[in-house]
């Protein structure tokens, strides 16, 4: 289990920043999708966005503290029931999953619509995900009750779940890493599907090279904080109210 000391105020600001940046990157989908962050070691309590606040306007103080022991109707602000079910089941079943980023971004969702929704190692970016994605092809409606529980038990030791016919979730110890994984996954899917759409044969890399490159990515994980701080620098200048 993660031994990270949780600073809730920092987590709120980081989450507000990655919500806003996801909107700038057009990785959001209306007011759907959710990011959450466990503030208790057992995953029972977590921060999550309320229903009805646009990603581009999210503020640190908008995020709700939810308790998996309660029900979505017990809060002042609205809670998306599918978010409630999926994220509470994910945190409960994967307490190491401190931060969960769930998106239906354009290219990743297009990949989720293919019969085989796995991302092959076709470039340096897609290599990052080699053998590191739990792929679900059992879509069974909106993520309520049994569907949420099923999704939550698929993760194992992987870094994310590709949700077939739906979207994806990344899982990490920090908002910086969960966002970085999501951002590069979308980029990898974009490259793969663009290459696929040419109809020319793909240059899929051998397993050994894909694995070596994935490990090189993992060695660079410490740099994800630099990615988030570069994003926060821009937001600090252009829309500092995200921190409030
Ligand atoms: Zn979804
Ligand atoms: Zn979600």
């Amino acid at each position: 289990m993660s031994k990270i000391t949780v600073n809730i105020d920092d987590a709120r600001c980081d989450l507000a920043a990655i919500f806003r940046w996801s909107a700038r990157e057009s990785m959001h989908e209306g007011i759907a999708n959710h990011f959450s962050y466990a503030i208790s070691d057992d995953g029972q309590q977590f921060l999550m966005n309320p229903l009805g606040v646009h990603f581009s306007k999210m503020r640190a103080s908008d995020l709700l503290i939810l308790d998996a022991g309660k029900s979505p109707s017990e809060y002042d602000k609205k809670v998306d029931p599918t978010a409630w079910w999926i994220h509470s089941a994910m945190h409960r079943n994967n307490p190491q999953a401190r931060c969960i980023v769930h998106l239906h971004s354009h290219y990743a969702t297009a990949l989720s619509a293919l019969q085989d929704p796995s991302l092959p190692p076709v470039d340096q970016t897609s290599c990052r995900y080699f053998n590191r994605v739990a792929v679900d092809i059992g879509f069974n409606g909106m993520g309520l009750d049994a569907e949420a529980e099923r999704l939550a038990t698929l993760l194992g030791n992987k870094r994310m779940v590709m949700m077939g016919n739906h979207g994806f979730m990344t899982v990490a110890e920090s908002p910086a890493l969960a966002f970085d994984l999501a951002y590069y996954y979308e980029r990898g899917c974009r490259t793969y599907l663009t290459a696929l759409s040419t109809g020319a044969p793909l240059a899929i890399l051998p397993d050994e090279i894909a694995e070596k490159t994935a490990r090189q990515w993992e060695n660079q994980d410490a740099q994800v904080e630099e990615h988030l701080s570069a994003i926060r620098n821009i937001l600090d200048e252009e829309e500092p109210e995200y921190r409030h």
Side-chain angles (χ1 to χ4, degrees), residues 56-103:
S56 65
K57 294 289 172 194
M58 200 68 70
R59 291 169 183 257
S61 59
D62 285 325
L63 300 166
L64 302 172
I65 292 183
L66 301 180
D67 190 310
K70 292 192 187 175
S71 78
S73 57
E74 290 180 68
Y75 297 92
D76 301 343
K77 293 185 191 169
K78 285 188 193 157
V79 177
D80 178 348
T82 65
W84 172 266
W85 281 101
I86 294 179
H87 290 250
S88 67
M90 278 297 286
H91 284 299
R92 191 163 23 79
N93 285 298
N94 308 282
Q96 84 288 2
R98 195 56 88 168
C99 187
I100 298 170
V101 160
H102 171 197
L103 286 167

mmCIF file of all heavy atoms in Angstrom, residues 56-103:
data_model
loop_
_atom_site.group_PDB
_atom_site.id
_atom_site.type_symbol
_atom_site.label_atom_id
_atom_site.label_comp_id
_atom_site.label_asym_id
_atom_site.label_seq_id
_atom_site.Cartn_x
_atom_site.Cartn_y
_atom_site.Cartn_z
ATOM 1 N N SER A 56 -13.231 22.723 -17.756
ATOM 2 C CA SER A 56 -12.461 23.958 -17.998
ATOM 3 C C SER A 56 -12.644 24.979 -16.893
ATOM 4 O O SER A 56 -11.920 25.970 -16.840
ATOM 5 C CB SER A 56 -12.877 24.571 -19.338
ATOM 6 O OG SER A 56 -14.230 24.985 -19.281
ATOM 7 N N LYS A 57 -13.630 24.772 -16.014
ATOM 8 C CA LYS A 57 -13.915 25.735 -14.945
ATOM 9 C C LYS A 57 -13.680 25.149 -13.558
ATOM 10 O O LYS A 57 -14.015 25.785 -12.547
ATOM 11 C CB LYS A 57 -15.390 26.213 -15.057
ATOM 12 C CG LYS A 57 -15.682 27.017 -16.295
ATOM 13 C CD LYS A 57 -15.025 28.387 -16.212
ATOM 14 C CE LYS A 57 -15.140 29.136 -17.528
ATOM 15 N NZ LYS A 57 -14.244 30.306 -17.570
ATOM 16 N N MET A 58 -13.123 23.957 -13.490
ATOM 17 C CA MET A 58 -12.986 23.279 -12.196
ATOM 18 C C MET A 58 -12.066 24.071 -11.262
ATOM 19 O O MET A 58 -11.014 24.548 -11.664
ATOM 20 C CB MET A 58 -12.415 21.872 -12.411
ATOM 21 C CG MET A 58 -12.667 20.909 -11.259
ATOM 22 S SD MET A 58 -14.405 20.470 -11.085
ATOM 23 C CE MET A 58 -14.654 19.458 -12.560
ATOM 24 N N ARG A 59 -12.503 24.208 -10.014
ATOM 25 C CA ARG A 59 -11.686 24.846 -8.973
ATOM 26 C C ARG A 59 -11.369 23.802 -7.914
ATOM 27 O O ARG A 59 -12.146 22.863 -7.698
ATOM 28 C CB ARG A 59 -12.460 25.979 -8.291
ATOM 29 C CG ARG A 59 -12.703 27.176 -9.167
ATOM 30 C CD ARG A 59 -13.707 28.099 -8.479
ATOM 31 N NE ARG A 59 -14.039 29.244 -9.328
ATOM 32 C CZ ARG A 59 -13.552 30.463 -9.151
ATOM 33 N NH1 ARG A 59 -12.736 30.728 -8.137
ATOM 34 N NH2 ARG A 59 -13.887 31.443 -9.958
ATOM 35 N N ALA A 60 -10.277 24.040 -7.202
ATOM 36 C CA ALA A 60 -9.868 23.115 -6.134
ATOM 37 C C ALA A 60 -11.020 22.860 -5.156
ATOM 38 O O ALA A 60 -11.246 21.724 -4.722
ATOM 39 C CB ALA A 60 -8.659 23.683 -5.405
ATOM 40 N N SER A 61 -11.773 23.930 -4.830
ATOM 41 C CA SER A 61 -12.830 23.799 -3.818
ATOM 42 C C SER A 61 -14.081 23.104 -4.348
ATOM 43 O O SER A 61 -14.963 22.752 -3.564
ATOM 44 C CB SER A 61 -13.208 25.183 -3.279
ATOM 45 O OG SER A 61 -13.642 25.993 -4.347
ATOM 46 N N ASP A 62 -14.180 22.925 -5.671
ATOM 47 C CA ASP A 62 -15.353 22.220 -6.225
ATOM 48 C C ASP A 62 -15.335 20.735 -5.901
ATOM 49 O O ASP A 62 -16.375 20.086 -5.891
ATOM 50 C CB ASP A 62 -15.384 22.354 -7.756
ATOM 51 C CG ASP A 62 -15.834 23.730 -8.210
ATOM 52 O OD1 ASP A 62 -16.703 24.318 -7.531
ATOM 53 O OD2 ASP A 62 -15.298 24.205 -9.227
ATOM 54 N N LEU A 63 -14.132 20.178 -5.693
ATOM 55 C CA LEU A 63 -14.027 18.724 -5.541
ATOM 56 C C LEU A 63 -14.677 18.278 -4.236
ATOM 57 O O LEU A 63 -14.475 18.880 -3.185
ATOM 58 C CB LEU A 63 -12.554 18.313 -5.605
ATOM 59 C CG LEU A 63 -11.926 18.708 -6.944
ATOM 60 C CD1 LEU A 63 -10.417 18.609 -6.885
ATOM 61 C CD2 LEU A 63 -12.469 17.855 -8.075
ATOM 62 N N LEU A 64 -15.458 17.232 -4.342
ATOM 63 C CA LEU A 64 -16.189 16.709 -3.185
ATOM 64 C C LEU A 64 -15.350 15.651 -2.479
ATOM 65 O O LEU A 64 -14.622 14.912 -3.131
ATOM 66 C CB LEU A 64 -17.488 16.050 -3.647
ATOM 67 C CG LEU A 64 -18.451 16.929 -4.426
ATOM 68 C CD1 LEU A 64 -19.588 16.082 -4.989
ATOM 69 C CD2 LEU A 64 -19.005 18.018 -3.518
ATOM 70 N N ILE A 65 -15.483 15.584 -1.161
ATOM 71 C CA ILE A 65 -14.922 14.432 -0.442
ATOM 72 C C ILE A 65 -16.053 13.421 -0.304
ATOM 73 O O ILE A 65 -17.068 13.698 0.336
ATOM 74 C CB ILE A 65 -14.376 14.832 0.940
ATOM 75 C CG1 ILE A 65 -13.140 15.723 0.774
ATOM 76 C CG2 ILE A 65 -14.016 13.575 1.750
ATOM 77 C CD1 ILE A 65 -12.475 16.123 2.086
ATOM 78 N N LEU A 66 -15.895 12.280 -0.948
ATOM 79 C CA LEU A 66 -16.935 11.254 -0.927
ATOM 80 C C LEU A 66 -16.506 10.098 -0.037
ATOM 81 O O LEU A 66 -15.318 9.834 0.135
ATOM 82 C CB LEU A 66 -17.189 10.740 -2.346
ATOM 83 C CG LEU A 66 -17.630 11.799 -3.355
ATOM 84 C CD1 LEU A 66 -17.842 11.171 -4.722
ATOM 85 C CD2 LEU A 66 -18.904 12.500 -2.910
ATOM 86 N N ASP A 67 -17.495 9.437 0.513
ATOM 87 C CA ASP A 67 -17.236 8.290 1.377
ATOM 88 C C ASP A 67 -17.946 7.090 0.769
ATOM 89 O O ASP A 67 -19.160 7.136 0.520
ATOM 90 C CB ASP A 67 -17.790 8.597 2.778
ATOM 91 C CG ASP A 67 -17.334 7.551 3.777
ATOM 92 O OD1 ASP A 67 -17.491 6.346 3.484
ATOM 93 O OD2 ASP A 67 -16.831 7.931 4.846
ATOM 94 N N ALA A 68 -17.176 6.034 0.508
ATOM 95 C CA ALA A 68 -17.741 4.857 -0.155
ATOM 96 C C ALA A 68 -18.862 4.214 0.659
ATOM 97 O O ALA A 68 -19.665 3.457 0.128
ATOM 98 C CB ALA A 68 -16.645 3.830 -0.447
ATOM 99 N N GLY A 69 -18.930 4.537 1.949
ATOM 100 C CA GLY A 69 -19.982 3.971 2.787
ATOM 101 C C GLY A 69 -21.317 4.686 2.662
ATOM 102 O O GLY A 69 -22.336 4.212 3.167
ATOM 103 N N LYS A 70 -21.312 5.849 2.007
ATOM 104 C CA LYS A 70 -22.561 6.596 1.848
ATOM 105 C C LYS A 70 -23.153 6.349 0.461
ATOM 106 O O LYS A 70 -22.629 5.558 -0.317
ATOM 107 C CB LYS A 70 -22.287 8.084 2.040
ATOM 108 C CG LYS A 70 -21.904 8.472 3.457
ATOM 109 C CD LYS A 70 -21.947 9.978 3.580
ATOM 110 C CE LYS A 70 -21.419 10.465 4.919
ATOM 111 N NZ LYS A 70 -21.370 11.932 4.950
ATOM 112 N N SER A 71 -24.204 7.073 0.120
ATOM 113 C CA SER A 71 -24.759 6.940 -1.225
ATOM 114 C C SER A 71 -24.706 8.310 -1.914
ATOM 115 O O SER A 71 -24.631 9.340 -1.246
ATOM 116 C CB SER A 71 -26.189 6.402 -1.175
ATOM 117 O OG SER A 71 -27.066 7.440 -0.825
ATOM 118 N N PRO A 72 -24.741 8.308 -3.264
ATOM 119 C CA PRO A 72 -24.552 9.559 -4.007
ATOM 120 C C PRO A 72 -25.551 10.651 -3.632
ATOM 121 O O PRO A 72 -25.271 11.836 -3.798
ATOM 122 C CB PRO A 72 -24.745 9.132 -5.472
ATOM 123 C CG PRO A 72 -24.488 7.674 -5.499
ATOM 124 C CD PRO A 72 -24.875 7.152 -4.156
ATOM 125 N N SER A 73 -26.715 10.274 -3.113
ATOM 126 C CA SER A 73 -27.743 11.278 -2.818
ATOM 127 C C SER A 73 -27.494 12.014 -1.501
ATOM 128 O O SER A 73 -28.197 12.959 -1.178
ATOM 129 C CB SER A 73 -29.116 10.600 -2.777
ATOM 130 O OG SER A 73 -29.086 9.566 -1.808
ATOM 131 N N GLU A 74 -26.481 11.576 -0.744
ATOM 132 C CA GLU A 74 -26.266 12.173 0.575
ATOM 133 C C GLU A 74 -25.375 13.417 0.565
ATOM 134 O O GLU A 74 -24.940 13.860 1.618
ATOM 135 C CB GLU A 74 -25.660 11.128 1.525
ATOM 136 C CG GLU A 74 -26.644 10.033 1.915
ATOM 137 C CD GLU A 74 -26.019 9.012 2.867
ATOM 138 O OE1 GLU A 74 -25.727 9.369 4.014
ATOM 139 O OE2 GLU A 74 -25.805 7.862 2.431
ATOM 140 N N TYR A 75 -25.100 13.956 -0.616
ATOM 141 C CA TYR A 75 -24.226 15.130 -0.700
ATOM 142 C C TYR A 75 -24.982 16.347 -1.213
ATOM 143 O O TYR A 75 -25.994 16.212 -1.890
ATOM 144 C CB TYR A 75 -23.031 14.819 -1.606
ATOM 145 C CG TYR A 75 -22.177 13.698 -1.031
ATOM 146 C CD1 TYR A 75 -22.411 12.373 -1.384
ATOM 147 C CD2 TYR A 75 -21.196 13.970 -0.092
ATOM 148 C CE1 TYR A 75 -21.666 11.347 -0.827
ATOM 149 C CE2 TYR A 75 -20.448 12.954 0.473
ATOM 150 C CZ TYR A 75 -20.690 11.640 0.100
ATOM 151 O OH TYR A 75 -19.964 10.627 0.664
ATOM 152 N N ASP A 76 -24.490 17.542 -0.854
ATOM 153 C CA ASP A 76 -25.140 18.796 -1.285
ATOM 154 C C ASP A 76 -25.070 18.953 -2.791
ATOM 155 O O ASP A 76 -26.046 19.266 -3.444
ATOM 156 C CB ASP A 76 -24.418 20.017 -0.681
ATOM 157 C CG ASP A 76 -24.421 19.963 0.831
ATOM 158 O OD1 ASP A 76 -25.235 19.192 1.363
ATOM 159 O OD2 ASP A 76 -23.612 20.681 1.449
ATOM 160 N N LYS A 77 -23.845 18.745 -3.322
ATOM 161 C CA LYS A 77 -23.692 18.880 -4.764
ATOM 162 C C LYS A 77 -24.025 17.537 -5.421
ATOM 163 O O LYS A 77 -23.964 16.492 -4.786
ATOM 164 C CB LYS A 77 -22.264 19.276 -5.124
ATOM 165 C CG LYS A 77 -21.889 20.672 -4.662
ATOM 166 C CD LYS A 77 -20.503 21.046 -5.170
ATOM 167 C CE LYS A 77 -19.985 22.321 -4.510
ATOM 168 N NZ LYS A 77 -18.555 22.557 -4.787
ATOM 169 N N LYS A 78 -24.360 17.590 -6.710
ATOM 170 C CA LYS A 78 -24.750 16.365 -7.407
ATOM 171 C C LYS A 78 -23.534 15.476 -7.691
ATOM 172 O O LYS A 78 -22.464 15.960 -8.025
ATOM 173 C CB LYS A 78 -25.408 16.731 -8.744
ATOM 174 C CG LYS A 78 -26.818 17.256 -8.586
ATOM 175 C CD LYS A 78 -27.453 17.392 -9.958
ATOM 176 C CE LYS A 78 -28.742 18.201 -9.864
ATOM 177 N NZ LYS A 78 -29.079 18.809 -11.166
ATOM 178 N N VAL A 79 -23.752 14.186 -7.575
ATOM 179 C CA VAL A 79 -22.719 13.197 -7.862
ATOM 180 C C VAL A 79 -23.239 12.297 -8.980
ATOM 181 O O VAL A 79 -24.368 11.812 -8.913
ATOM 182 C CB VAL A 79 -22.412 12.356 -6.599
ATOM 183 C CG1 VAL A 79 -21.391 11.275 -6.917
ATOM 184 C CG2 VAL A 79 -21.933 13.236 -5.454
ATOM 185 N N ASP A 80 -22.427 12.106 -10.015
ATOM 186 C CA ASP A 80 -22.798 11.224 -11.124
ATOM 187 C C ASP A 80 -22.813 9.778 -10.603
ATOM 188 O O ASP A 80 -21.797 9.288 -10.113
ATOM 189 C CB ASP A 80 -21.747 11.408 -12.237
ATOM 190 C CG ASP A 80 -21.989 10.503 -13.451
ATOM 191 O OD1 ASP A 80 -22.813 9.569 -13.357
ATOM 192 O OD2 ASP A 80 -21.335 10.737 -14.473
ATOM 193 N N PRO A 81 -23.962 9.090 -10.682
ATOM 194 C CA PRO A 81 -24.029 7.736 -10.113
ATOM 195 C C PRO A 81 -23.023 6.760 -10.734
ATOM 196 O O PRO A 81 -22.461 5.925 -10.016
ATOM 197 C CB PRO A 81 -25.455 7.272 -10.400
ATOM 198 C CG PRO A 81 -26.189 8.421 -10.939
ATOM 199 C CD PRO A 81 -25.228 9.534 -11.253
ATOM 200 N N THR A 82 -22.746 6.886 -12.055
ATOM 201 C CA THR A 82 -21.780 5.947 -12.651
ATOM 202 C C THR A 82 -20.385 6.217 -12.081
ATOM 203 O O THR A 82 -19.601 5.294 -11.860
ATOM 204 C CB THR A 82 -21.720 6.050 -14.196
ATOM 205 O OG1 THR A 82 -21.227 7.327 -14.567
ATOM 206 C CG2 THR A 82 -23.066 5.816 -14.822
ATOM 207 N N ALA A 83 -20.094 7.501 -11.827
ATOM 208 C CA ALA A 83 -18.798 7.872 -11.241
ATOM 209 C C ALA A 83 -18.687 7.282 -9.851
ATOM 210 O O ALA A 83 -17.662 6.735 -9.447
ATOM 211 C CB ALA A 83 -18.680 9.385 -11.164
ATOM 212 N N TRP A 84 -19.779 7.416 -9.125
ATOM 213 C CA TRP A 84 -19.829 6.893 -7.770
ATOM 214 C C TRP A 84 -19.480 5.407 -7.735
ATOM 215 O O TRP A 84 -18.617 4.948 -7.003
ATOM 216 C CB TRP A 84 -21.239 7.122 -7.203
ATOM 217 C CG TRP A 84 -21.418 6.446 -5.903
ATOM 218 C CD1 TRP A 84 -21.936 5.218 -5.676
ATOM 219 C CD2 TRP A 84 -20.984 6.946 -4.663
ATOM 220 N NE1 TRP A 84 -21.870 4.917 -4.359
ATOM 221 C CE2 TRP A 84 -21.293 5.963 -3.708
ATOM 222 C CE3 TRP A 84 -20.369 8.129 -4.247
ATOM 223 C CZ2 TRP A 84 -21.011 6.141 -2.366
ATOM 224 C CZ3 TRP A 84 -20.104 8.290 -2.914
ATOM 225 C CH2 TRP A 84 -20.412 7.302 -1.999
ATOM 226 N N TRP A 85 -20.167 4.670 -8.579
ATOM 227 C CA TRP A 85 -19.987 3.215 -8.576
ATOM 228 C C TRP A 85 -18.596 2.819 -9.039
ATOM 229 O O TRP A 85 -17.906 2.032 -8.395
ATOM 230 C CB TRP A 85 -21.041 2.548 -9.476
ATOM 231 C CG TRP A 85 -22.379 2.432 -8.822
ATOM 232 C CD1 TRP A 85 -23.468 3.236 -9.027
ATOM 233 C CD2 TRP A 85 -22.776 1.474 -7.839
ATOM 234 N NE1 TRP A 85 -24.514 2.835 -8.241
ATOM 235 C CE2 TRP A 85 -24.127 1.753 -7.506
ATOM 236 C CE3 TRP A 85 -22.141 0.408 -7.215
ATOM 237 C CZ2 TRP A 85 -24.843 0.996 -6.581
ATOM 238 C CZ3 TRP A 85 -22.857 -0.352 -6.293
ATOM 239 C CH2 TRP A 85 -24.182 -0.051 -5.980
ATOM 240 N N ILE A 86 -18.176 3.353 -10.183
ATOM 241 C CA ILE A 86 -16.876 2.924 -10.737
ATOM 242 C C ILE A 86 -15.729 3.347 -9.834
ATOM 243 O O ILE A 86 -14.858 2.546 -9.490
ATOM 244 C CB ILE A 86 -16.664 3.471 -12.170
ATOM 245 C CG1 ILE A 86 -17.673 2.851 -13.144
ATOM 246 C CG2 ILE A 86 -15.238 3.151 -12.658
ATOM 247 C CD1 ILE A 86 -17.557 3.349 -14.573
ATOM 248 N N HIS A 87 -15.728 4.616 -9.416
ATOM 249 C CA HIS A 87 -14.569 5.100 -8.658
ATOM 250 C C HIS A 87 -14.542 4.539 -7.239
ATOM 251 O O HIS A 87 -13.468 4.243 -6.721
ATOM 252 C CB HIS A 87 -14.495 6.627 -8.685
ATOM 253 C CG HIS A 87 -14.142 7.143 -10.040
ATOM 254 N ND1 HIS A 87 -12.938 7.726 -10.334
ATOM 255 C CD2 HIS A 87 -14.837 7.091 -11.209
ATOM 256 C CE1 HIS A 87 -12.916 8.034 -11.624
ATOM 257 N NE2 HIS A 87 -14.057 7.661 -12.174
ATOM 258 N N SER A 88 -15.700 4.387 -6.615
ATOM 259 C CA SER A 88 -15.653 3.819 -5.260
ATOM 260 C C SER A 88 -15.229 2.350 -5.317
ATOM 261 O O SER A 88 -14.431 1.896 -4.498
ATOM 262 C CB SER A 88 -16.957 4.030 -4.477
ATOM 263 O OG SER A 88 -17.997 3.296 -5.035
ATOM 264 N N ALA A 89 -15.689 1.612 -6.335
ATOM 265 C CA ALA A 89 -15.263 0.206 -6.463
ATOM 266 C C ALA A 89 -13.777 0.122 -6.787
ATOM 267 O O ALA A 89 -13.059 -0.729 -6.252
ATOM 268 C CB ALA A 89 -16.096 -0.498 -7.545
ATOM 269 N N MET A 90 -13.285 1.014 -7.657
ATOM 270 C CA MET A 90 -11.855 1.004 -8.016
ATOM 271 C C MET A 90 -10.983 1.317 -6.797
ATOM 272 O O MET A 90 -9.979 0.647 -6.550
ATOM 273 C CB MET A 90 -11.564 2.055 -9.104
ATOM 274 C CG MET A 90 -11.861 1.628 -10.508
ATOM 275 S SD MET A 90 -10.876 0.221 -11.092
ATOM 276 C CE MET A 90 -9.280 0.990 -11.362
ATOM 277 N N HIS A 91 -11.344 2.347 -6.044
ATOM 278 C CA HIS A 91 -10.524 2.701 -4.878
ATOM 279 C C HIS A 91 -10.570 1.599 -3.818
ATOM 280 O O HIS A 91 -9.557 1.266 -3.211
ATOM 281 C CB HIS A 91 -10.974 4.039 -4.280
ATOM 282 C CG HIS A 91 -10.530 5.226 -5.082
ATOM 283 N ND1 HIS A 91 -9.202 5.514 -5.315
ATOM 284 C CD2 HIS A 91 -11.238 6.193 -5.718
ATOM 285 C CE1 HIS A 91 -9.117 6.617 -6.058
ATOM 286 N NE2 HIS A 91 -10.330 7.037 -6.326
ATOM 287 N N ARG A 92 -11.751 1.044 -3.608
ATOM 288 C CA ARG A 92 -11.921 0.009 -2.595
ATOM 289 C C ARG A 92 -11.124 -1.250 -2.953
ATOM 290 O O ARG A 92 -10.438 -1.827 -2.110
ATOM 291 C CB ARG A 92 -13.411 -0.323 -2.460
ATOM 292 C CG ARG A 92 -13.783 -1.167 -1.288
ATOM 293 C CD ARG A 92 -15.299 -1.128 -0.970
ATOM 294 N NE ARG A 92 -16.177 -0.767 -2.064
ATOM 295 C CZ ARG A 92 -16.554 -1.590 -3.043
ATOM 296 N NH1 ARG A 92 -16.110 -2.829 -3.080
ATOM 297 N NH2 ARG A 92 -17.383 -1.172 -3.982
ATOM 298 N N ASN A 93 -11.189 -1.653 -4.227
ATOM 299 C CA ASN A 93 -10.506 -2.885 -4.649
ATOM 300 C C ASN A 93 -9.019 -2.688 -4.938
ATOM 301 O O ASN A 93 -8.286 -3.658 -5.049
ATOM 302 C CB ASN A 93 -11.176 -3.460 -5.905
ATOM 303 C CG ASN A 93 -12.500 -4.135 -5.600
ATOM 304 O OD1 ASN A 93 -12.543 -5.108 -4.856
ATOM 305 N ND2 ASN A 93 -13.584 -3.602 -6.127
ATOM 306 N N ASN A 94 -8.591 -1.440 -5.099
ATOM 307 C CA ASN A 94 -7.199 -1.145 -5.446
ATOM 308 C C ASN A 94 -6.702 0.014 -4.592
ATOM 309 O O ASN A 94 -6.537 1.122 -5.093
ATOM 310 C CB ASN A 94 -7.078 -0.765 -6.928
ATOM 311 C CG ASN A 94 -7.731 -1.791 -7.851
ATOM 312 O OD1 ASN A 94 -7.167 -2.833 -8.115
ATOM 313 N ND2 ASN A 94 -8.935 -1.491 -8.308
ATOM 314 N N PRO A 95 -6.477 -0.219 -3.292
ATOM 315 C CA PRO A 95 -6.120 0.924 -2.436
ATOM 316 C C PRO A 95 -4.821 1.620 -2.859
ATOM 317 O O PRO A 95 -4.600 2.766 -2.511
ATOM 318 C CB PRO A 95 -6.009 0.325 -1.036
ATOM 319 C CG PRO A 95 -6.130 -1.137 -1.184
ATOM 320 C CD PRO A 95 -6.668 -1.449 -2.538
ATOM 321 N N GLN A 96 -3.987 0.910 -3.650
ATOM 322 C CA GLN A 96 -2.763 1.561 -4.153
ATOM 323 C C GLN A 96 -3.107 2.571 -5.252
ATOM 324 O O GLN A 96 -2.279 3.399 -5.623
ATOM 325 C CB GLN A 96 -1.776 0.506 -4.675
ATOM 326 C CG GLN A 96 -1.978 0.012 -6.104
ATOM 327 C CD GLN A 96 -3.203 -0.901 -6.295
ATOM 328 O OE1 GLN A 96 -3.968 -1.155 -5.356
ATOM 329 N NE2 GLN A 96 -3.417 -1.364 -7.506
ATOM 330 N N ALA A 97 -4.330 2.497 -5.758
ATOM 331 C CA ALA A 97 -4.761 3.375 -6.849
ATOM 332 C C ALA A 97 -5.142 4.732 -6.297
ATOM 333 O O ALA A 97 -6.306 5.076 -6.216
ATOM 334 C CB ALA A 97 -5.949 2.746 -7.579
ATOM 335 N N ARG A 98 -4.146 5.480 -5.892
ATOM 336 C CA ARG A 98 -4.420 6.752 -5.212
ATOM 337 C C ARG A 98 -5.210 7.697 -6.120
ATOM 338 O O ARG A 98 -6.182 8.307 -5.712
ATOM 339 C CB ARG A 98 -3.068 7.355 -4.824
ATOM 340 C CG ARG A 98 -3.102 8.457 -3.825
ATOM 341 C CD ARG A 98 -3.773 8.114 -2.538
ATOM 342 N NE ARG A 98 -2.938 7.518 -1.523
ATOM 343 C CZ ARG A 98 -3.328 7.363 -0.249
ATOM 344 N NH1 ARG A 98 -4.517 7.783 0.161
ATOM 345 N NH2 ARG A 98 -2.548 6.779 0.612
ATOM 346 N N CYS A 99 -4.779 7.828 -7.355
ATOM 347 C CA CYS A 99 -5.463 8.744 -8.278
ATOM 348 C C CYS A 99 -5.965 7.982 -9.501
ATOM 349 O O CYS A 99 -5.230 7.186 -10.085
ATOM 350 C CB CYS A 99 -4.519 9.866 -8.714
ATOM 351 S SG CYS A 99 -5.369 11.124 -9.696
ATOM 352 N N ILE A 100 -7.209 8.226 -9.854
ATOM 353 C CA ILE A 100 -7.810 7.579 -11.031
ATOM 354 C C ILE A 100 -8.293 8.648 -11.997
ATOM 355 O O ILE A 100 -9.053 9.538 -11.619
ATOM 356 C CB ILE A 100 -8.995 6.682 -10.627
ATOM 357 C CG1 ILE A 100 -8.517 5.559 -9.707
ATOM 358 C CG2 ILE A 100 -9.683 6.103 -11.871
ATOM 359 C CD1 ILE A 100 -9.644 4.766 -9.077
ATOM 360 N N VAL A 101 -7.810 8.563 -13.222
ATOM 361 C CA VAL A 101 -8.250 9.471 -14.283
ATOM 362 C C VAL A 101 -9.053 8.640 -15.283
ATOM 363 O O VAL A 101 -8.548 7.665 -15.841
ATOM 364 C CB VAL A 101 -7.018 10.119 -14.966
ATOM 365 C CG1 VAL A 101 -7.368 10.666 -16.346
ATOM 366 C CG2 VAL A 101 -6.459 11.242 -14.085
ATOM 367 N N HIS A 102 -10.307 9.006 -15.456
ATOM 368 C CA HIS A 102 -11.201 8.257 -16.345
ATOM 369 C C HIS A 102 -11.668 9.199 -17.444
ATOM 370 O O HIS A 102 -12.283 10.217 -17.166
ATOM 371 C CB HIS A 102 -12.386 7.727 -15.507
ATOM 372 C CG HIS A 102 -13.475 7.121 -16.334
ATOM 373 N ND1 HIS A 102 -14.742 6.910 -15.848
ATOM 374 C CD2 HIS A 102 -13.508 6.677 -17.610
ATOM 375 C CE1 HIS A 102 -15.502 6.368 -16.785
ATOM 376 N NE2 HIS A 102 -14.772 6.222 -17.866
ATOM 377 N N LEU A 103 -11.359 8.846 -18.681
ATOM 378 C CA LEU A 103 -11.686 9.714 -19.815
ATOM 379 C C LEU A 103 -12.251 8.925 -20.991
ATOM 380 O O LEU A 103 -11.995 7.719 -21.120
ATOM 381 C CB LEU A 103 -10.417 10.450 -20.284
ATOM 382 C CG LEU A 103 -9.902 11.589 -19.392
ATOM 383 C CD1 LEU A 103 -8.496 11.989 -19.801
ATOM 384 C CD2 LEU A 103 -10.838 12.788 -19.437
#
